[in-house]
Amino acid sequence: MSRAYMIRVSEKLTRHVVVRDGIECRLEVLPILPAKRMGELIAAALAKRGFEEKDGAWVRVEEDGIKVSVDIERGTVTLSLEGEANLDLEHSREGRAAGPKDEQARSALRDAARSYLERKAAAATDAERQKLTERLDARLADLRREIDDATNEATAAALKEKAASMGEIKSIEEDADTGGLTIRVKL
Amino acid sequence: MKRVAQSEAELLTIARALFGRANRSETRRVLEQRRPDFRRIGETAMDLLEDTLAKGAVLELVRRGGWIDRRGRLWDRAEPPALEFTAFTFELLRWMTVTPMRAPDRSVLSKPAALGDEVVAFLAADLLERLGFEHRHRVLMRAPLCSLVYAGDADEAPDPFLVDALTEELTRRWVDIVNAKSMLGADKHIENGAREQRVLGLFLDAIENGDRRFALFLVEAARRLHVTAPDLMEGITEGTSLSDRSAAMAAAARFFEAIERVQTWHAAHGLVRFFDDEYDAAQRLREDWEGLGDAGFARCAQIAETLRRGPT
């Protein structure tokens, strides 16, 4: 009669993961002046808000790590956040074996433990990504509003330039509440 | 009484079921089974098949909307083309008879080669869907009419006559397609959106410089839809990443972007001067699409814009 043995295997998984999330949306620009001039006005509005030109895009990195990047030429705004985490997971499995040196049973247990750890690692990575998404989500509305403010400022400046090119500006009225701008021009 | 072999009888059952003229449980039994393949049928069975197809296809097109009087009935609006059936129809029916329809099948059959084939492919998908079988089979989704009805994978637009005949059916289907978005997760939104963009793009390209009245089903679907952009995103789970949510929203905009394209036509039709040759046609289209009207088009454009803007 053969005896049944219980064997135990332990597996460890150590991994450095980088998670990221972000969105890309359109930069809404009205073509009031030639594209090059509109780009200059938007760049000026962004520079006032702390953006710096880097590799052809206007970039600002927030205190919480969110990167806001405006590519005026492509007409896109990208908001992104990246995070890192070190995963250190361990898992043990027990099972029956024909003997203490039953390599087949040991290998099957090891595979099951590894597969469990891979699932845990995927879940932990996703949890890290979700934390990132929540942080980004919380700032999204404010950051979009700020970009909208910058484009509105550039649009107002473009309208004034356009009006000046058409004739003599008699008056400019700006309504801070509605964002309305009335320019009277003598042609 | 005419006698046919069992395999022939089963093929004829499927053919009759396409037109709602077969016993439901018998049809289900044939669609579920795997049976030995057969390459040909006898003369008697072929006569019966031809008779079933000839009468059934015409009747089905009339039933499914051809009867509706829109500036005349279907057969008054244009000379009806001949509904011909090629080897494709026989191959399709044979394949449905011998293959279990439970799982998606990647069989490569030929493509529909005639109008009758197109109708049969559409009715086959419709039958499978009604009986709860898998209906998004590759062979069906590559057929142009079927592809327009189900947002499939065809690389060409269907014949305008069939679109005209099935305007009501297409309207209803696209209303369902858009409404169903509220239950989709991000991955499915992205997958469906890509197909909808391709199918609707192909169709609008095909009619843009021809007869634009065939876009009526899109206009009608837009009129019947009462959704907002947030409604369409209800199926997105909370933990979904912003990048996936953003891509899902852009994908969900495809139908409304097609309506935006039709909106530009609608506006252009309003600018055609009364002494221009196209004036009467443009006015007819303005009238036909008035159900949606400028306000409805603007509402759709607003939905498209909101979705394109992404999460806020």
Side-chain angles (χ1 to χ4, degrees), chain A residues 20-26 28 126 129-130 133 136-137 140-141 144 148, chain B residues 238-247 304-306 308-312:
Chain A
R20 53 177 69 86
D21 195 8
I23 61 166
E24 184 180 281
C25 48
R26 278 191 308 166
E28 311 284 350
D126 199 48
R129 200 268 312 145
Q130 282 195 31
T133 299
L136 193 54
D137 223 354
L140 195 58
R144 292 192 97 155
D148 286 346
Chain B
E238 207 153 280
T240 307
S241 70
L242 271 175
S243 56
D244 283 352
R245 258 190 279 167
S246 178
E305 186 53 37
T306 306
R308 274 196 299 262
R309 209 171 142 73
T312 50

Side-chain angles (χ1 to χ4, degrees), chain A residues 48-156:
Chain A
K48 262 172 65 179
R49 288 165 174 79
F51 284 77
E52 289 174 3
E53 194 173 9
K54 198 176 172 188
D55 301 329
W58 287 81
V59 180
R60 192 179 77 190
V61 180
E62 305 291 295
E63 275 179 15
D64 53 9
I66 297 175
K67 185 178 169 189
V68 187
S69 174
V70 183
D71 188 327
I72 297 171
E73 210 168 297
R74 279 181 59 223
T76 58
V77 180
T78 310
L79 306 173
S80 58
L81 183 57
E82 200 171 286
E84 298 177 15
N86 288 314
L87 305 181
D88 200 357
L89 306 170
E90 195 169 351
H91 182 61
S92 300
R93 284 255 163 156
E94 272 187 4
R96 288 178 190 279
K101 292 194 174 157
D102 182 349
E103 276 310 312
Q104 203 177 344
R106 196 173 290 279
S107 164
L109 282 174
R110 199 171 290 130
D111 286 348
R114 275 187 198 141
S115 148
Y116 175 82
L117 284 175
E118 284 297 337
R119 286 201 302 277
K120 287 281 280 184
T125 307
D126 199 48
E128 288 295 326
R129 200 268 312 145
Q130 282 195 31
K131 281 188 218 160
L132 217 65
T133 299
E134 279 166 24
R135 277 167 56 197
L136 193 54
D137 223 354
R139 296 289 318 281
L140 195 58
D142 286 346
L143 292 170
R144 292 192 97 155
R145 198 170 306 120
E146 200 179 347
I147 298 292
D148 286 346
D149 286 348
T151 49
N152 288 344
E153 186 182 313
T155 303

Side-chain angles (χ1 to χ4, degrees), chain B residues 186-256:
Chain B
D187 289 353
K188 205 69 188 156
H189 266 297
I190 295 165
E191 186 189 328
N192 290 5
R195 273 205 301 265
E196 287 158 22
Q197 183 179 32
R198 194 178 51 247
V199 163
L200 294 178
L202 274 172
F203 173 68
L204 294 178
D205 286 349
I207 63 166
E208 181 160 23
N209 297 317
D211 199 337
R212 294 177 176 179
R213 73 192 161 97
F214 301 122
L216 180 63
F217 77 89
L218 286 173
V219 176
E220 265 301 294
R223 185 182 69 79
R224 291 184 203 176
L225 281 165
H226 300 286
V227 290
T228 62
D231 292 340
L232 301 175
M233 294 294 111
E234 274 178 2
I236 306 272
T237 49
E238 207 153 280
T240 307
S241 70
L242 271 175
S243 56
D244 283 352
R245 258 190 279 167
S246 178
M249 288 180 80
R254 301 311 179 207
F255 170 83
F256 297 97

Side-chain angles (χ1 to χ4, degrees), chain B residues 11-31:
Chain B
L11 181 137
L12 289 169
T13 297
I14 300 298
R16 290 166 64 83
L18 298 180
F19 313 116
R21 292 170 57 205
N23 178 287
R24 207 177 161 89
S25 57
E26 173 62 8
T27 307
R28 193 182 288 281
R29 186 189 66 74
V30 176
L31 291 173

Side-chain angles (χ1 to χ4, degrees), chain B residues 18 53 85 88-89 92-93 95-96 110-112 114-128 135 137 139-147 149-150:
Chain B
L18 298 180
L53 293 172
F85 302 89
F88 171 85
T89 291
L92 180 65
L93 293 172
W95 170 74
M96 289 174 75
S110 56
K111 278 189 185 176
L115 286 193
D117 296 339
E118 289 265 6
V119 176
V120 167
F122 157 61
L123 293 174
D126 180 66
L127 171 70
L128 293 171
H135 65 284
H137 296 288
V139 58
L140 300 175
M141 292 305 124
R142 285 170 68 217
L145 176 62
C146 220
S147 178
V149 174
Y150 289 98

